[in-house]
Amino acid sequence: MSVLGQLEPQRVFYYFEEITRIPHGSGNVDAISNYLANFAKERGLFYIQDELKNVIIVKEASKGYEKEPAVILQGHMDMVAVKTPDCSIDLKREGLQIATDGDAVFAKGTSLGGDDGIAVAYALAILESDTMKHPRLEVVFTVDEEVGMEGATGIDLSMLTAKRMLNLDSEDEGILLTGCAGGVRQKCTLMLQQKEQRGTAYKITVAGLLGGHSGVEIHKERGNAINLLGRILCEIGRACTFHLMHAEGGEADNAIPREASAVILLSDSEESVLEATVSRLNREIAKELATRDGNVQIAFLKLGTTAAMCAEANDTHRASGFLWALPNGVQCMSADVEGLVETSLNLGVLRYEAGEFSVTISLRSSVESAKKALVEKVAAITRLAGGSYTLAGDYPGWKYRADSPLRDKMVRIYEAMYGEKPKVEAVHAGLECGIIADKIPDLDCVSFGPQMENIHTTEERLSISSTRRVWEYLLKILEEREE
């Protein structure tokens, strides 16, 4: 039974609901890629599905638009797939449980994937239509954007003819993005000596944080659960001796982690010290974050007496200090664009198992040299802690284009439709536009999209009315002929 069947634009929400039924978290894109390829095949549209599972679909110009310049429509098919601790959905095998509430579409217990499922839905609704007016459309669906833009990096776009691109991967209606930060993923690893220890196990948990997108919302200075866990472990280490058994936090490097936990082993005689330390930190951190992230909860749970393989005390101290020493959040604001974050990093994923202690970090900057300097700073801290690191998913920024006929056209159409000019901005989040612009010389590109809130979290919401307005705007952009 359809949940979104009565919403307008009907075919857009039809395809969006179809997409939510297909598991399509980053790294798990075969099913959604095959769905898109079959869509093209069933309609007799030219398509390419490459080895990475990127899909390109071409639709020729509608009658009377054959001489108009071709346009690329572009978005990514993967989503940040996260869920609440009590959610039983297997995001690798099951679809989402979507619902509506007033003007919003959301998913129960999971992220929604409006980023960037709505781009896919818009494009499919246009591709299937026999009545819409448009130039030749070259639709590019990429994979694994959320984990380093791997699809955009590897895709071959040599067969495309268009020099103008509409990227549909933004989440603030009324804002046209014309530049973005570059980024890279850095995984730092410490190998810890393990030994069987006997004592009482306790689970330390940081929870209740808002989380969010590590590019779009990093300036809000919300709590980072992994960063806070490092602070807590260091404070516990100052008060008593303990051994680290297990640690985990976060689900994606580009999502600000809402929860993190560690299982530690110490003697029963030190339980009161542990309780006092955790209680104090709970009060202090709650007060510090009261305005920015007011529901933080720090707790410990006694698991019982056990014998287990744990990090030795010195290595536990080394790992705790390393985690707390790593920088996190905004590092520098732009001196050229007011309010724009220039350089930042996010401690996104923490794992400690079988002696391997690792932190995966998303680094971003609109200044390439600043990005490289931050990578080296993290590398220096890692080396001082006796660890090593790897880099992946390095992508360039997208430089603002002074002369942009596409941007000018979109500003003019927006003003005519809504009686006000849209904002033209750059964004700290990474977009695929920079990578694609490197592949297509002289590409004129603008990124836009409908209003979404709390993307990359289980509170993600997609505005229904905004989806309709942006749909109408998109069709008008395609329909208006070049002067």
Side-chain angles (χ1 to χ4, degrees):
M1 180 178 177
S2 175
V3 176
L4 309 182
Q6 301 305 309
L7 302 182
E8 294 289 346
Q10 194 170 63
R11 295 307 289 174
V12 172
F13 280 111
Y14 167 80
Y15 282 114
F16 186 76
E17 186 166 0
E18 285 277 288
I19 293 163
T20 66
R21 292 171 175 164
I22 304 169
H24 59 285
S26 301
N28 185 37
V29 295
D30 283 15
I32 186 67
S33 177
N34 292 339
Y35 175 86
L36 296 173
N38 288 332
F39 171 94
K41 187 185 303 181
E42 290 168 2
R43 289 160 180 79
L45 298 171
F46 174 84
Y47 76 96
I48 296 172
Q49 183 183 34
D50 67 18
E51 291 183 358
L52 295 174
K53 297 298 182 178
N54 295 304
V55 175
I56 298 172
I57 302 176
V58 175
K59 185 179 183 184
E60 295 301 333
S62 56
K63 187 176 180 180
Y65 282 74
E66 295 86 353
K67 295 183 179 181
E68 295 297 308
V71 172
I72 299 168
L73 298 181
Q74 193 268 322
H76 60 88
M77 66 183 83
D78 63 310
M79 65 176 283
V80 173
V82 295
K83 63 181 183 178
T84 58
D86 59 347
C87 178
S88 62
I89 294 174
D90 183 345
L91 288 170
K92 292 186 176 181
R93 294 181 173 84
E94 301 176 78
L96 310 180
Q97 295 180 4
I98 58 172
T100 62
D101 175 16
D103 187 44
V105 178
F106 61 96
K108 298 177 181 178
T110 69
S111 47
L112 176 66
D115 174 17
D116 197 21
I118 195 60
V120 179
Y122 278 149
L124 295 182
I126 293 171
L127 287 169
E128 77 163 4
S129 174
D130 294 325
T131 61
M132 294 175 188
K133 300 175 182 178
H134 57 79
R136 172 183 163 100
L137 298 177
E138 300 172 343
V139 183
V140 178
F141 299 116
T142 50
V143 300
D144 296 343
E145 187 269 354
E146 301 289 8
V147 289
M149 307 195 187
E150 309 291 355
T153 299
I155 195 170
D156 180 357
L157 300 176
S158 60
M159 57 78 59
L160 300 188
T161 65
K163 294 292 187 179
R164 296 189 178 186
M165 185 173 87
L166 300 174
N167 169 276
L168 298 163
D169 189 19
S170 296
E171 52 276 341
D172 289 300
E173 183 186 1
I175 297 178
L176 305 182
L177 297 180
T178 55
C180 74
V184 66
R185 184 168 65 253
Q186 188 169 15
K187 183 177 181 180
C188 305
T189 303
L190 307 184
M191 299 307 298
L192 309 184
Q193 291 293 321
Q194 293 202 114
K195 184 178 180 180
E196 185 173 285
Q197 308 283 348
R198 176 170 290 277
T200 302
Y202 298 85
K203 185 175 184 180
I204 315 298
T205 304
V206 181
L209 296 167
L210 291 170
H213 188 295
S214 68
V216 176
E217 293 167 312
I218 199 75
H219 67 285
K220 296 179 181 178
E221 297 185 321
R222 294 172 175 175
N224 180 302
I226 294 172
N227 180 249
L228 291 173
L229 183 64
R231 172 180 173 180
I232 292 162
L233 292 176
C234 279
E235 290 284 343
I236 293 171
R238 290 175 57 194
C240 57
T241 300
F242 71 95
H243 301 274
L244 186 63
M245 291 176 59
H246 177 76
E248 62 180 343
E251 297 185 65
D253 64 276
N254 58 357
I256 301 169
R258 304 172 62 194
E259 298 186 0
S261 64
V263 178
I264 64 175
L265 200 70
L266 72 165
S267 66
D268 282 335
S269 63
E270 295 188 297
E271 180 175 335
S272 60
V273 177
L274 174 65
E275 182 176 11
T277 303
V278 172
S279 179
R280 172 177 59 81
L281 289 170
N282 192 31
R283 293 192 306 272
E284 291 177 355
I285 293 172
K287 186 175 181 180
E288 291 170 17
L289 294 177
T291 303
R292 303 191 301 271
D293 214 334
N295 293 318
V296 62
Q297 300 161 15
I298 300 166
F300 80 98
L301 175 67
K302 187 175 182 177
L303 301 179
T305 302
T306 186
M309 294 297 292
C310 304
E312 293 189 352
N314 286 342
D315 274 8
T316 292
H317 180 71
R318 179 165 62 96
S320 301
F322 168 69
L323 192 59
W324 181 222
L326 284 171
N328 179 73
V330 176
Q331 302 298 295
C332 181
M333 299 296 291
S334 172
D336 300 315
V337 182
E338 185 177 355
L340 178 67
V341 177
E342 179 186 285
T343 305
S344 78
L345 75 168
N346 175 63
L347 309 185
V349 181
L350 166 68
R351 296 290 184 267
Y352 172 57
E353 291 182 298
E356 182 176 298
F357 185 92
S358 68
V359 184
T360 306
I361 305 166
S362 173
L363 301 95
R364 305 174 191 266
S365 183
S366 53
V367 178
E368 187 66 18
S369 60
K371 183 182 79 175
K372 291 179 179 178
L374 186 55
V375 166
E376 285 305 313
K377 182 177 184 177
V378 171
I381 295 170
T382 304
R383 287 192 294 266
L384 286 170
S388 61
Y389 71 94
T390 58
L391 299 176
D394 194 349
Y395 60 90
W398 169 29
K399 188 176 181 180
Y400 177 83
R401 180 182 170 122
D403 178 25
S404 171
L406 177 60
R407 180 185 68 234
D408 295 344
K409 173 183 176 179
M410 292 176 67
V411 169
R412 184 179 68 253
I413 291 173
Y414 190 95
E415 190 172 10
M417 291 181 70
Y418 302 113
E420 61 181 12
K421 288 187 176 182
K423 296 179 181 178
V424 178
E425 297 182 354
V427 67
H428 186 58
L431 292 169
E432 293 166 300
C433 304
I435 297 172
I436 294 174
D438 274 355
K439 296 173 182 282
I440 304 176
D442 200 34
L443 181 70
D444 191 1
C445 178
V446 175
S447 179
F448 67 110
Q451 192 67 35
M452 286 181 268
E453 307 295 338
N454 300 314
I455 62 172
H456 297 186
T457 79
T458 54
E459 280 74 47
E460 182 180 359
R461 296 168 73 84
L462 168 67
S463 168
I464 297 166
S465 59
S466 180
T467 299
R468 183 183 68 252
R469 287 190 297 271
V470 172
W471 169 247
E472 293 166 354
Y473 179 48
L474 171 60
L475 296 186
K476 188 65 176 176
I477 294 166
L478 295 175
E479 180 182 330
E480 185 177 288
R481 299 175 187 274
E482 296 298 309
E483 296 179 350

